[in-house]
Amino acid sequence: MLKTETPSAAHPDLDLYELPQLVSAFIEDQVEAVDAVRRAGPQLAAAVAAALPRIQAGGRILYAGAGTSGRLGVLDSVELYPTFSWPRERAVAVIAGGQQAMFVAIEGAEDDDVQGAADIAALNPGPNDVLLALAASGGTPYVLGAIRAAREAGALAIGFANNAGAPVTAAAELGITLDTGPEVISGSTRLKAGSAQKMALNTFSSSLMVKLNKVYGNLMVDLKATNAKLLRRAVALTMRASGADEALAREVLAKCDNHVKVALVAIKKNLTVQQSRELLDASGGSVRRALNG
C-alpha cells in the first residue's frame, strides 16, 4: 500500500477525539509537510537550475495534474502574473477533466493517460518548455501521459510525487519526492501531501523568478499593479527601495504604468522613465546591475 494511503498509526481513534485534540492533530501533522519539502531541497534546487536556461531562452512553465494536485498547479500558474508580471501565456496549466474540474470533481478523468498526453500536445510544447507534473500518489495515468507528451517534444519534465519510487518521478527527467507519509485521514492527500506540493511549487516558481531578476533584494519589484491593493504595494515598495517620499514615488510610477522596477531605477539614478527602461533592458532586467552599472 502507498504510504499516502496507509492509515495513520498515530491517530487510529481520530473520530473519538475531543475538538481541541482533533484540531491539534490536523495542525501538528502539517509539520511533516514542511519536513518533506525541506528534505527535497536539493532536488528542487537541481530542478530550478535545469529549468532556468530554458525559461531564459523563451520557454514556458507548464503544469499538469489531477484533483488537488491539478488545482495547485493552476493556482501557481495564475499567481505568477500579478506577483512577477510573468506573461500569462508563459505559465499554462492543464488539469484532468478540463477547466470545470477546478470547481467540480470529475471522477475518472485522472485515469485517462491518453487525454493527459493530448492536453499537453495541444499546447505545442518545445525544447525550451518546462513541465511540472504533479501527482500525490505518483502513479496518476493522466499525469504520466502528460509527461510522455512533454518528453517526446523535447521539453523538460519535472515530476512531483508524495511517495518514494513513484512512476511519475521515474518517468520524468527530474523527480522530486515529497515523502509526507500517512495522512491523518487515510488517503486524503488534500491534507499534508497537498500542503507539501503547494510549498514545493511556491519554492520552485519563486526561486525561478528571483533568478529571472523579478526581485530586488527581497522586494517584489516586478509586480503587476492590477488593483488598489497592489497599487498601494507598488508605492510602498518604490518608497522603500528608493528612499523617495510618497509624492515622488506616485509621480514617477504614474509615468511608467506603475512598474516599480522602472520607477526605482529612474529615481535612484535620476533618469527619465525611458532612460530607466533602456538601462534595465541593457542589464537583463536586473535592478541591481542597472543601479551599479
Side-chain angles (χ1 to χ4, degrees):
M1 183 178 289
L2 297 174
K3 287 178 71 175
T4 50
E5 305 291 332
T6 303
S8 172
H11 304 285
D13 298 317
L14 187 71
D15 61 330
L16 299 178
Y17 287 4
E18 294 295 331
L19 192 53
Q21 184 184 12
L22 180 62
V23 170
S24 179
F26 284 116
I27 293 171
E28 291 303 317
D29 202 52
Q30 292 292 323
V31 174
E32 296 185 27
V34 177
D35 290 341
V37 178
R38 184 181 291 117
R39 290 191 297 270
Q43 296 172 326
L44 283 162
V48 174
L52 183 60
R54 295 174 185 247
I55 301 302
Q56 287 174 322
R60 298 170 294 172
I61 310 170
L62 310 178
Y63 302 75
T68 297
S69 298
R71 295 181 190 103
L72 289 170
V74 172
L75 178 62
D76 198 69
S77 72
V78 167
E79 290 184 340
L80 294 182
Y81 175 73
T83 308
F84 300 110
S85 294
W86 188 248
R88 292 188 178 97
E89 65 274 14
R90 294 185 67 191
V92 185
V94 298
I95 181 171
Q99 290 187 1
Q100 61 180 335
M102 279 297 296
F103 307 100
V104 180
I106 309 297
E107 302 300 336
E110 69 177 57
D111 298 327
D112 194 341
D113 66 324
V114 173
Q115 190 61 53
D119 285 351
I120 289 298
L123 300 177
N124 296 312
N128 289 327
D129 291 331
V130 177
L131 172 68
L132 307 183
L134 301 126
S137 68
T140 305
Y142 178 88
V143 178
L144 290 169
I147 291 172
R148 184 174 67 253
R151 296 202 68 177
E152 287 175 356
L156 172 66
I158 303 171
F160 294 75
N162 292 89
N163 287 291
V168 160
T169 52
E173 189 169 340
L174 294 174
I176 297 174
T177 300
L178 306 167
D179 189 359
T180 44
E183 298 284 0
V184 172
I185 297 177
S186 303
S188 182
T189 51
R190 72 182 186 87
L191 298 175
K192 65 183 173 187
S195 297
Q197 288 184 354
K198 178 68 165 68
M199 285 186 279
L201 285 174
N202 279 349
T203 301
F204 176 89
S205 60
S206 297
S207 297
L208 191 61
M209 292 298 139
V210 170
K211 291 300 182 182
L212 291 169
N213 299 316
K214 299 290 187 176
V215 173
Y216 172 56
N218 66 348
L219 305 179
M220 47 187 288
V221 294
D222 218 357
L223 84 165
K224 184 66 68 174
T226 54
N227 57 39
K229 177 191 73 175
L230 291 175
L231 178 56
R232 290 193 298 272
R233 187 174 296 167
V235 173
L237 287 167
T238 302
M239 293 170 61
R240 181 180 183 86
S242 70
D245 60 23
E246 182 174 353
L248 179 57
R250 287 186 178 275
E251 177 186 344
V252 179
L253 282 167
K255 295 177 180 177
C256 60
D257 196 28
N258 297 314
H259 196 172
V260 175
K261 267 188 175 185
V262 176
L264 169 58
V265 172
I267 293 170
K268 292 280 284 185
K269 300 281 284 187
N270 194 27
L271 301 172
T272 66
V273 163
Q274 183 58 33
Q275 289 172 328
S276 176
R277 286 199 178 102
E278 292 171 356
L279 182 56
L280 279 165
D281 287 344
S283 303
S286 169
V287 170
R288 194 172 295 276
R289 284 200 293 271
L291 292 178
N292 295 336

